[in-house]
Amino acid sequence: MLPGFKLSLGLGVFYLSLIVLLPAITLVLQTLEISWDEFVFYLTDPRLIAAFKVTFAAAACASLFNGALGLLLAWILVRYEFPGKKLVDTLVDLPFALPTAVAGLTLSALFAQNGWLGRWLVPLDIKVSYTFIGIVIAMLFTSIPFVVRTLQPVLEDLSPEYEEAAASLGASRSQIFRRIILPHIRPALLIGMALSFVRSLGEFGAVIFIAGNMPYETEVVSLMIFTYIGEYNYPAAAAVAMLILAASLLLLLVIQVIQSYYGRRHRKI
Amino acid sequence: MSGAVSSLNRRALRATDATTEPLWVRILLTAIALSFLALFLVIPLIAVFTEAFSRGADVYWAAITEPDAWHAIKLTLLAAAISVPLNVVFGLSAAWAITKFHFRGKQALITLIDLPFAVSPVVAGLIYVLLFGAQSWLGPWLSDNNIKIIFAVPGIVLATVFVTFPFIARELIPLMEEQGTSYEEASLTLGASGWQTFWRVTLPSIKWGLLYGIILCNARAMGEFGAVSVVSGHIRGQTNTLPLHIEILYNEYQFAAAFAAASLLAGLALITLVVKSLLEWHHVREREKAVRAASQQA
């Protein structure tokens, strides 16, 4: 029996209670103080409902696109050889290392009408900065690594025997992909996309720079909470925060269920 | 004979053909993936530094050394200097308890450690405002005793601690789980004290994992925006961190100065990535060495 159980557990639980538990309980208590009518009143504000629609739609677009891009990136990183592969592998983590404010500032400058990327979109009549597309791009950027990093280990584990067996039995490459590879990597792909979705729901720093933050159009829920706090409307902020927190926790629970169902714990966030 | 070999070879070739794509597909997929990466990751990175120096090095230097910017840099460093060591101590003790002992509620503890990753940054800031703000239960007592937490430096530090809370524990728990307890037990049997065992046996075996956690924790601590933004109050020269300073400059259309401040944080991100890949490279090499040593012994 090793020593230090009481000390380490005590210290860990004390610190956890102080930093995480106490504030979290305060949020719950604050929400419980709100009467049901008030709760409904806060949550049926049309401006808030519009923000919810924008946030969920943008997060869904971003995580769908991330699913495709992440699958492609993980695929070439695991299966193919090309010069600079190590560098590419390192670069994938950039969105996690780069502060969101820097990401937001840079993306909004790049996609502005006279920006490096935005000017090519002007003739096509596509506006990115201060529109819904801008929100999607900001969310997309900040969650790129999730799908790649959950898929990579699973693709590496996939031994070639199954593909060889399928090929020797006459399956075409696309059949092998659809019938053998895709079913094997589907849970990891779903988990990666769900993590990316959760992250996008709460994203704030990157989004507010590029969104333009027009009420009813390009305002996200995080910004609504921020605005309520600025107006000292704490009950409304707590009500909305509880709702978005519940949505995130529910999704994370689903992820846990998928993970334990498939019996392995993939690489974490 | 040679005919048999070549037909075997051809069959082997066909088998490998079926487990990979034709060359043109491989090139096409790689090209698509790399151009997306260039568009979304490389160009923004180049843009930060180009825009920062767009008005020349003098403007850049002035933007960084101007008093408000300088204060923001110092506050950012201070928040990281407090929150990272705190999370190191917590991460080590939580990981020690979780990986070296069996107790009830272990899974619940791990879930709670992960909680800050599920909470959006603005909500993280909000919970501290609800706890310590002027309208909270603690509010009157705090103002009576002249303690300022929200819209002051302690609030910024607390919010930073919260969002960076899981990084080190999460890095250490799987690592220490894998290593088990046999070395520590051997050390204790040989008469070392608990602390000696920790310093001489456990710490050396987890130092790279710990370092990995520290640089990720530090990058997030210096770059946190949402949570800090809520509790800071944006008081220039007092409660502005570097990411908040960027936002203020952006809103004032001082783009060159905003990018100058952003370039510091982008530089930090690049350093983080380099150290991170060096540590990963080191880890892989150690692993290979251990595998080779094990196979030689056998």
Side-chain angles (χ1 to χ4, degrees):
Chain A
M1 190 68 181
L2 295 174
F5 176 62
K6 277 186 189 157
L7 176 69
S8 61
L9 186 67
L11 198 62
V13 170
F14 172 71
Y15 188 70
L16 187 78
S17 317
L18 211 64
I19 299 293
V20 177
L21 228 47
L22 188 65
I25 290 170
T26 315
L27 175 64
V28 175
L29 288 179
Q30 180 86 36
T31 323
L32 289 178
E33 270 184 14
I34 307 168
S35 73
W36 179 248
D37 291 342
E38 265 181 304
F39 195 72
V40 171
F41 172 76
Y42 292 137
L43 294 184
T44 49
D45 177 0
R47 187 170 156 192
L48 180 68
I49 292 173
F52 263 107
K53 278 186 194 156
V54 168
T55 311
F56 274 81
C61 291
S63 49
L64 278 177
F65 196 86
N66 251 333
L69 179 63
L71 177 59
L72 185 62
L73 275 171
W75 185 264
I76 68 158
L77 283 172
V78 173
R79 295 268 170 138
Y80 301 161
E81 289 302 325
F82 53 90
K85 187 166 141 172
K86 264 233 142 69
L87 186 71
V88 170
D89 196 28
T90 306
L91 209 61
V92 167
D93 279 330
L94 180 72
F96 283 171
L98 196 70
T100 52
V102 180
L105 173 75
T106 312
L107 288 174
S108 76
L110 282 177
F111 284 102
Q113 298 208 348
N114 55 357
W116 291 4
L117 299 175
R119 74 176 60 152
W120 303 102
L121 299 173
V122 172
L124 305 172
D125 211 24
I126 301 173
K127 276 193 199 147
V128 174
S129 280
Y130 313 128
T131 67
F132 180 75
I133 305 173
I135 300 177
V136 175
I137 285 184
M139 289 178 173
L140 180 65
F141 178 87
T142 48
S143 57
I144 284 176
F146 284 110
V147 178
V148 186
R149 292 304 182 221
T150 41
L151 274 181
Q152 249 174 330
V154 184
L155 272 176
E156 274 160 10
D157 280 350
L158 183 62
S159 61
E161 284 95 16
Y162 300 109
E163 287 168 63
E164 281 162 13
S168 70
L169 292 171
S172 72
R173 193 63 197 145
S174 69
Q175 278 176 319
I176 293 176
F177 183 79
R178 271 182 293 123
R179 301 261 181 101
I180 307 225
I181 300 173
L182 203 57
H184 181 81
I185 62 172
R186 196 178 287 134
L189 184 62
L190 285 178
I191 289 168
M193 283 167 68
L195 287 174
S196 150
F197 186 77
V198 170
R199 169 73 196 252
S200 299
L201 278 189
E203 185 49 43
F204 178 68
V207 170
I208 59 160
F209 279 89
I210 201 170
N213 309 319
M214 296 258 294
Y216 296 100
E217 280 171 33
T218 57
E219 206 173 35
V220 292
V221 177
S222 294
L223 182 69
M224 286 297 290
I225 300 177
F226 190 81
T227 312
Y228 288 141
I229 300 170
E231 294 164 349
Y232 300 101
N233 190 355
Y234 294 143
V240 181
M242 266 316 268
L243 201 66
I244 201 128
L245 194 59
S248 309
L249 288 178
L250 195 71
L251 260 169
L252 289 179
L253 193 73
V254 171
I255 293 172
Q256 288 244 319
V257 171
I258 298 177
Q259 263 175 343
S260 55
Y261 181 77
Y262 286 92
R264 41 178 114 68
R265 276 188 75 89
H266 297 305
R267 215 175 124 168
K268 61 244 176 286
I269 303 172
Chain B
M1 184 67 199
S2 71
V5 170
S6 76
S7 97
L8 252 179
N9 268 347
R10 214 172 302 136
R11 208 179 305 154
L13 261 180
R14 214 180 309 142
T16 45
D17 273 349
T19 51
T20 188
E21 289 74 40
L23 185 64
W24 69 270
V25 176
R26 278 182 283 171
I27 292 177
L28 185 70
L29 288 179
T30 313
I32 295 174
L34 293 187
S35 24
F36 262 112
L37 223 52
L39 211 63
F40 272 114
L41 299 180
V42 181
I43 290 184
L45 207 52
I46 297 170
V48 174
F49 292 101
T50 318
E51 296 281 341
F53 285 103
S54 60
R55 300 256 194 102
D58 292 346
V59 176
Y60 180 84
W61 186 246
I64 296 178
T65 50
E66 170 247 338
D68 286 343
W70 188 230
H71 190 276
I73 293 172
K74 280 194 288 189
L75 185 57
T76 303
L77 292 176
L78 176 75
I82 297 175
S83 55
V84 174
L86 273 179
N87 284 333
V88 167
V89 173
F90 162 75
L92 278 171
S93 56
W96 180 269
I98 286 169
T99 59
K100 307 288 179 192
F101 304 96
H102 295 282
F103 56 93
R104 286 160 65 103
K106 190 191 268 193
Q107 199 51 50
L109 191 61
I110 296 176
T111 310
L112 276 177
I113 291 175
D114 278 349
L115 190 68
F117 276 157
V119 175
S120 94
V122 175
V123 176
L126 170 70
I127 59 180
Y128 283 104
V129 172
L130 292 180
L131 187 59
F132 296 116
Q135 304 183 344
S136 70
W137 298 301
L138 282 173
W141 184 84
L142 287 173
S143 68
D144 284 348
N145 289 285
N146 232 342
I147 304 171
K148 269 196 81 109
I149 293 181
I150 300 305
F151 306 144
V153 177
I156 292 174
V157 173
L158 275 174
T160 309
V161 170
F162 180 88
V163 293
T164 56
F165 184 80
F167 281 97
I168 291 169
R170 282 197 90 162
E171 209 51 60
L172 289 181
I173 290 170
L175 187 66
M176 286 166 72
E177 192 95 58
E178 199 182 324
Q179 288 173 347
T181 56
S182 52
Y183 290 118
E184 280 87 357
E185 277 157 8
S187 151
L188 289 168
T189 320
L190 292 172
S193 74
W195 283 112
Q196 279 176 322
T197 303
F198 174 75
W199 287 108
R200 305 248 180 111
V201 177
T202 311
L203 202 57
S205 66
I206 57 166
K207 61 176 185 245
W208 299 112
L210 182 62
L211 207 57
Y212 192 93
I214 288 174
I215 58 154
L216 294 184
C217 181
N218 180 61
R220 181 69 195 265
M222 291 193 178
E224 178 51 32
F225 180 80
V228 170
S229 182
V230 172
V231 295
S232 126
H234 301 266
I235 309 164
R236 267 195 170 186
Q238 280 184 38
T239 60
N240 247 352
T241 61
L242 208 43
L244 301 182
H245 189 62
I246 294 174
E247 193 206 5
I248 290 187
L249 293 172
Y250 172 80
N251 287 338
E252 289 172 351
Y253 300 102
Q254 300 191 43
F255 293 123
F259 275 104
S263 73
L264 294 178
L265 289 172
L268 172 77
L270 285 180
I271 294 170
T272 304
L273 286 183
V274 170
V275 177
K276 185 170 168 289
S277 44
L278 283 180
L279 286 174
E280 275 163 355
W281 180 68
H282 183 88
H283 179 71
V284 169
R285 237 181 27 165
E286 296 261 289
R287 243 283 137 119
E288 281 167 0
K289 224 190 281 172
V291 169
R292 226 177 300 136
S295 68
Q296 269 167 10
Q297 270 178 2

